[in-house]
Amino acid sequence: MNPPLPQHPLQHFPADFVWGVATSSFQIEGAAHEDGKGESIWDRFCRQPGAIADGSNGDTACDHYHRLEADLDLIAGLGVDAYRFSMSWPRVQPDGRGAFNEAGMHFYERLVDGLIARGIKPYLTLNHWDLPQALQDSGGWAHRETVHAFVAYARFVAKRLGERVAAITTHNEPWVMAVLGHETGLFAPGIRHRGTAMQVAHHLLLSHGLALQALRADGCTSRLGIVLNLSPIGPATPSAEDVAAARLEDGRSVRWYMDPLFKGEYPADVWQHLGVDVPQVQPDDLAAINTPMDFLGINYYTRGVVSASGAWSAQTSGKPLTDMGWEIVPEGLTELLTRMHRDWTLPPLYVKENGAAFQDTLVKGCVHDVERTDYIASHIAAVGDALAQGVPMAGYMVWSLMDNFEWASGYAKRFGIVHVDYATLTRTPKDSYLWYRDFLLAQQRLRQQALAA
Ligand code: GCO
């Protein structure tokens, strides 16, 4: 017998609320050296000894590139309104500047048309971290020229797909690219220099703003925005030192992105703290970053807790943990969303990623992932709580459609609601997939009842 699935009271979401599921190019596509695709910084980074926990790479990943139709059927089987995917820049423009690669574009046209044929709205992300290596070789995101290269790439893609995709996200998680990629060096391109990281963050934000302006000038009809990874950040204890440390971390990870995007300024306390590591900012940059957006996407996984001594650890906090060692805190999502609504004037908000890694076991064609199902159900309820408090929530997307390449953790961490057997590449929907499908069906019925009433 199957273990019982978690029960949460069925909340009533607005009829136009967008339910979705998400992936990213490097994590699922594979076909790393096919049909004219250029090298990305993640292709290169995976070759560095020790960079990836299991020594793996994205050469095959989930082989999504060759299994597109079957994967589209899996997405359709969920009954979602939207599918969030990213485009590999080096697949469509191998060197990041100059010639575009028609074979690469063709893959994404098939993807978008296949979604539309199945009644699913395509949500496209232009940059989910896999920068063309050729651009890295000339300085990458630390170099201002990359900003202009990105805008040219965005314009090309929007001209080809803009009428068919419902939404275009410029960047996924600038904090991760800047800090994990250029300060701690845990992610590609593996640089360790705080000043470089802050310059990268500035260039990502600037290229986002300039791309929005260019796309709108070109007449692009998709809704445009950015996706940030955010957490509520609190002190480990009420001590003045911990409170100050938490405030600074909130500044570095939340306000450093939200203030320029929504107020046109960097937070003064963080600017002062950074000293010589502040970015070079040209006179019109902040006005460009402050360009109004049609939506803001948020990726939420866990809360942040900060102690000045660095002594706090999630492992001893007493909260349940995921396989990433991250605390499970659904109420943290409500706290984050209501705080954002309070502190900034926001466009419609979407949770663009939310989900959890657990060690799954596939037995007789089933994965009884009760913990993941409960994680998703409790976080959807947390979004409902934010809505009830007046936050302009417009959608929610599960991370991720299927198990995939979890960056520096390789294939060891499984976030999918569909299990992938990496030896055979067989896909098996987990219980969480079945739960989400049934949940969406129930939402659909509520919508119909509301329409009929
Ligand atoms: C991110 C990325 C995803 C990750 C997911 C789980 O948020 O880091 O957008 O690519 O796989 O978050 O860590």
Side-chain angles (χ1 to χ4, degrees), residues 173-209:
E173 306 188 348
W175 178 89
V176 170
M177 287 182 272
V179 175
L180 300 189
H182 300 81
E183 183 172 334
T184 67
L186 294 174
F187 281 9
I191 291 166
R192 290 171 198 222
H193 184 264
R194 189 173 73 168
T196 304
M198 300 323 288
Q199 194 62 52
V200 164
H202 179 67
H203 285 159
L204 287 166
L205 292 172
L206 177 61
S207 65
H208 154 81

Side-chain angles (χ1 to χ4, degrees), residues 23-24 27 84 128-129 172-173 176 180 187 227-229 299-301 324 326 352-357 399-400 404-407 409 413 415:
T23 63
S24 88
Q27 295 179 275
R84 174 175 180 245
H128 198 127
W129 312 353
N172 177 70
E173 306 188 348
V176 170
L180 300 189
F187 281 9
V227 172
L228 305 177
N229 56 301
N299 296 346
Y300 174 82
Y301 290 91
M324 297 296 280
W326 299 345
K352 285 280 174 86
E353 280 180 30
N354 174 245
W399 182 270
S400 179
N404 57 48
F405 177 78
E406 179 52 28
W407 308 112
S409 307
K413 304 294 179 196
F415 274 88

Side-chain angles (χ1 to χ4, degrees), residues 116-160:
I116 293 170
R118 288 166 177 82
I120 302 161
K121 291 193 179 75
Y123 275 53
L124 165 72
T125 299
L126 290 166
N127 171 28
H128 198 127
W129 312 353
D130 41 1
L131 183 77
Q133 180 63 40
L135 287 180
Q136 190 61 46
D137 293 341
S138 56
W141 284 111
H143 187 47
R144 202 170 164 105
E145 274 307 304
T146 301
V147 171
H148 303 296
F150 178 77
V151 174
Y153 155 65
R155 293 183 67 191
F156 174 83
V157 172
K159 277 186 188 145
R160 287 289 288 269

